Structures are given as C-alpha cells and as structure tokens.
Amino acid sequence: MNKRVGDILVGMGFIDKDQIELAVTESRKTGTMLGEVLVRLDWVTEEQLQMAIAAQSGAQVLDTRTVNVDQSLTARIPQDFAVRHNIFPLGYVGSTINVATTNPFDVITRDELARMTGSPIAAFMASKDWVTNAIRLYYNTSITIDNDIESITHTGRAEWAS
C-alpha cells in the first residue's frame, strides 16, 4: 500500500505529526488538497511537496536547471491540451516522450497523450509554476515565430506580385 503524502513528509523530516494533523483538519474543512494547505501555511515548500509526491508515485522530480526542450513537440501537442492537463513536453529519449507534469498519478492524461503522439510517455514531477511558465514561454514563442513568418511571407508575396 502506498504511503500518504503527509506520512512521507513527516518521514522526510519536513513537518511533524502535529502539523500534519492540523493541516488534515484544515484540508477537510476547506476541501483543499493537503499539499496545497501545507504550502499555503508555509510548512513545506513546493519542492518538498514535489519530493514527497514523487516518492509516493515513483515519479522522478524534474531538475529544471538542466532541461533541454525539443520545441518540435509543441507542434505535435496542442497548447490547450498542455494547459488543461498541466503537462509540458520536454523531448524524446529514444521513442519515449518525456513530459513535465504537476500530477504523476494522472494515468488517463498520459494514455491520451500516448495515443495522440503514438509514443510512450514518461512523466517527471515539476512545480505548477514551472509547467505554466514553460507552456507560456515555448508555446507563445512558437505562435509569435509562426505569425512573424506568415507576415514576412505574405509581405514578400505582395511585393513580388506588384
């Protein structure tokens, strides 16, 4: 049986049992996920929570300092899919697509992405902020470049036709 995130955080020494009991009570009262409560109360950092979730799920934590992004994947995986499922395509290792995700337990999204791309998917834990910023940076950069190319091509055709 998998350990609960709170138990993992206690076991890692990030919080104590009294803190987890208070956070569980708050989580039940507000309907907010336990991890969100712990981060909001500043009892754990986003990174500590990620480590616990990764330990619970068996997923690896993405080292965001050493990420190399294969931008061709943004053309294969629609931005609305990435935003809706909080995933960001990183690149290939062999035929497998590595993705950053905020939820390593979301098997349905990984299966849907595998069907969409025809490639197996490997998930790596990343913070929600990192995934959101990566989507914004890489997808919006792609759209801007596409628009610039279209504008240049259109302008060039108009001048050539004159």
Side-chain angles (χ1 to χ4, degrees):
M1 182 174 143
N2 282 347
K3 284 180 120 181
R4 296 177 302 187
V5 169
D7 294 334
I8 294 169
L9 288 165
V10 170
M12 291 177 155
F14 295 138
I15 56 174
D16 62 38
K17 289 182 186 230
D18 290 338
Q19 288 173 305
I20 204 64
E21 287 176 20
L22 290 169
V24 166
T25 301
E26 177 69 15
S27 174
R28 287 183 181 146
K29 268 198 281 188
T30 62
T32 305
M33 298 287 289
L34 177 63
E36 290 179 43
V37 171
L38 292 167
V39 170
R40 183 173 42 85
L41 292 171
D42 267 344
W43 288 349
V44 298
T45 65
E46 178 94 20
E47 290 77 24
Q48 291 168 331
L49 178 61
Q50 283 182 318
M51 288 171 55
I53 293 171
Q56 183 187 42
S57 70
Q60 294 181 22
V61 176
L62 179 66
D63 182 354
T64 57
R65 298 167 302 182
T66 61
V67 171
N68 291 317
V69 175
D70 180 346
Q71 293 184 349
S72 70
L73 283 171
T74 58
R76 293 189 63 201
I77 300 169
Q79 182 176 8
D80 66 324
F81 182 88
V83 169
R84 188 172 55 248
H85 298 288
N86 285 317
I87 61 117
F88 179 75
L90 300 167
Y92 289 95
V93 173
S95 64
T96 301
I97 297 175
N98 289 342
V99 298
T101 181
T102 60
N103 183 0
F105 297 106
D106 190 352
V107 178
I108 294 169
T109 295
R110 285 199 315 264
D111 288 348
E112 188 176 342
L113 189 55
R115 280 191 302 279
M116 180 188 307
T117 61
S119 297
I121 305 299
F124 291 80
M125 280 289 302
S127 72
K128 185 173 183 169
D129 286 344
W130 190 90
V131 171
T132 300
N133 289 335
I135 290 169
R136 188 176 306 125
L137 173 66
Y138 287 95
Y139 279 95
N140 290 347
T141 298
S142 246
I143 290 168
T144 300
I145 290 170
D146 288 347
N147 289 343
D148 288 348
I149 290 170
E150 178 64 30
S151 175
I152 291 167
T153 304
H154 181 70
T155 302
R157 282 187 199 140
E159 289 174 2
W160 186 74
S162 301

